Amino acid sequence: MGDIVDLSPLKPLVKTIDFRVFVSLWCGVDMRKTCFSGLCCAVSGGGSLPSDYDRCRSLLCGLEGSESSGCVYPVQDDCRTTVWTYQESNDGALDSFQPDEELKRKKKISYVRRRKDIYKSLGPGNKAEDATLLAFGTLFSAPYKGSESYFDIHESPKDHRLQNLLEKIEFLPFAPEIMAAGTELAKSKIKEPFLCAQLRLLDGQFKNHWKSTFSALKEKLKSLEVEMKTNKNSGSVHIFLMTDLPRANWTKTYLADIAKDGKYQLYTLKENDVLQTAEKLMAAEHGIRSGFLPKIRDNTNKDCDPVQLPEILLYIEESVCSCASLGFVGTAGSTIAGSIETMRKNNVCKL
């Protein structure tokens, strides 16, 4: 993600290392096949030691523990029962979310969730204090029914450095290449003032809520049409659409109705439209440059075999949506919609 997201605001606060460099240095694994440009190849060619990926993986998973490795401390607390905080006053308190009887039966849950303070459990005076790395299980930091699942670090009153970091990561923009591409597409392809509609219809829970997703778009289009009539504007409404529903599957949906209606002008993007941007982005090597770099030996082979470009369509679509002057309609509950709202709130588009 360091190639996609601009991590430069965090440089004064945290030390980072690109995963390719990390695995190459620590595990001796040659990662050059994951590189696109010369710098990555120069620092990802594996160390002098023979590669030992199984040992590396076990260290990362915490299976060897700090007693034997002196490096990794495996945190034993079950992530399903523990919500980690930086608030000592709440240590041991019951979390606001507890599984109800139906969920217990459905998910076979028979436990309670408690909040634990990281400093008190893993800080000074604990076995974990001497470890370089803390190895947790699954850490999913999304709110669920009013509870933060597994990590709740929105406030850290005891640690000003962490509090400063939390404020910084509240919004991290995409890399400049992505933002520039989105702005340019809004200027050159759409040109007119437009509405952005982000319709997530296929994965997870979203495939069960088409009616409410389309309803929000219908309401927005009605209000825009009324506004245009008031201003005596007889032109069409321009809509930039980002959706996971392939056009071939639009038949008998509200999207098919919009596409046929002369009152609307639809714009979409395909992966082929952003290949040049993907090449520029990978050539910039933001991920490699954002973190620790070892000294490059003169005899290091800097040649790279071509690798598959990353799929960056979603990120460029988000940056286009940040430029939508007629507003934005997003799918309720979608993290993508939340990302776009945050971008719009921070006025990232420079038309």
Side-chain angles (χ1 to χ4, degrees):
M1 292 307 294
D3 289 321
I4 304 296
V5 178
D6 183 3
L7 298 178
S8 59
L10 304 183
K11 268 197 166 184
L13 300 172
V14 294
K15 294 179 181 179
T16 62
I17 182 170
D18 187 281
F19 185 72
R20 293 164 290 191
V21 180
F22 173 75
V23 173
S24 173
L25 290 177
W26 199 23
C27 310
V29 177
D30 191 332
M31 298 294 287
R32 281 174 295 187
K33 288 186 178 180
T34 66
C35 293
F36 188 83
S37 295
L39 179 60
C40 178
C41 284
V43 297
S44 301
S48 57
L49 296 174
S51 62
D52 188 352
Y53 189 68
D54 286 338
R55 177 180 178 277
C56 181
R57 180 168 56 188
S58 67
L59 280 171
L60 284 173
C61 293
L63 299 181
E64 294 186 11
S66 58
E67 283 94 7
S68 59
S69 69
C71 177
V72 181
Y73 179 82
V75 178
Q76 298 297 324
D77 299 84
D78 191 323
C79 287
R80 297 171 301 170
T81 64
T82 307
V83 180
W84 292 103
T85 74
Y86 282 86
Q87 298 160 15
E88 192 171 351
S89 59
N90 288 330
D91 184 66
L94 288 173
D95 187 58
S96 59
F97 168 71
Q98 299 295 333
D100 55 29
E101 293 304 317
E102 181 182 354
L103 189 59
K104 285 180 182 179
R105 287 194 302 271
K106 186 176 180 182
K107 299 291 186 180
K108 297 182 180 178
I109 296 173
S110 59
Y111 54 81
V112 296
R113 286 162 55 97
R114 294 189 180 275
R115 302 173 74 78
K116 296 192 73 170
D117 179 71
I118 281 184
Y119 278 113
K120 193 168 181 180
S121 298
L122 305 173
N126 290 280
K127 287 184 179 179
E129 182 180 5
D130 296 330
T132 303
L133 295 176
L134 299 178
F136 292 84
T138 301
L139 300 178
F140 187 73
S141 299
Y144 178 66
K145 292 189 177 181
S147 168
E148 195 76 9
S149 292
Y150 313 144
F151 260 84
D152 181 357
I153 55 172
H154 296 296
E155 293 181 7
S156 179
K158 286 180 62 176
D159 192 328
H160 297 297
R161 292 176 305 163
L162 185 60
Q163 191 63 42
N164 189 21
L165 176 62
L166 292 175
E167 292 169 4
K168 289 282 186 183
I169 64 175
E170 188 174 341
F171 172 66
L172 291 172
F174 287 126
E177 290 80 4
I178 292 176
M179 298 308 304
T183 302
E184 181 56 32
L185 285 165
K187 280 182 183 177
S188 61
K189 183 168 183 173
I190 306 177
K191 301 177 184 178
E192 303 290 335
F194 67 95
L195 169 75
C196 171
Q198 178 261 340
L199 306 179
R200 195 168 172 182
L201 301 168
L202 289 185
D203 67 320
Q205 60 170 319
F206 302 104
K207 62 179 178 289
N208 301 318
H209 301 286
W210 283 29
K211 185 176 180 180
S212 58
T213 300
F214 287 139
S215 177
L217 178 57
K218 288 178 183 178
E219 291 301 315
K220 181 63 177 179
L221 290 177
K222 282 182 184 178
S223 66
L224 281 177
E225 290 166 22
V226 170
E227 186 179 325
M228 291 175 71
K229 285 180 182 178
T230 303
N231 297 329
K232 297 182 179 179
N233 183 345
S234 58
S236 56
V237 177
H238 294 259
I239 307 169
F240 176 72
L241 177 67
M242 55 182 296
T243 182
D244 53 358
L245 186 68
R247 187 178 281 266
N249 295 352
W250 287 11
T251 307
K252 296 182 180 180
T253 71
Y254 183 53
L255 290 180
D257 297 339
I258 293 176
K260 291 183 289 188
D261 195 324
K263 297 197 300 287
Y264 309 116
Q265 178 67 50
L266 274 183
Y267 302 87
T268 57
L269 286 179
K270 297 176 182 167
E271 199 70 45
N272 286 340
D273 298 328
V274 300
L275 288 180
Q276 285 188 332
T277 301
E279 290 178 357
K280 288 181 184 177
L281 183 69
M282 297 311 292
E285 299 190 290
H286 294 300
I288 294 288
R289 297 178 189 277
S290 66
F292 169 80
L293 286 173
K295 186 176 180 180
I296 302 173
R297 297 185 296 275
D298 294 335
N299 61 351
T300 301
N301 182 2
K302 298 183 181 181
D303 294 330
C304 268
D305 293 327
V307 297
Q308 184 176 352
L309 288 169
E311 295 181 0
I312 63 168
L313 177 62
L314 174 63
Y315 313 122
I316 293 184
E317 287 179 325
E318 289 185 36
S319 65
V320 171
C321 283
S322 73
C323 297
S325 57
L326 294 184
F328 168 65
V329 178
T331 303
S334 168
T335 52
I336 299 168
S339 174
I340 295 169
E341 293 280 14
T342 303
M343 292 173 72
R344 293 175 62 82
K345 177 183 173 182
N346 284 272
N347 299 312
V348 297
C349 181
K350 308 296 180 186
L351 286 175

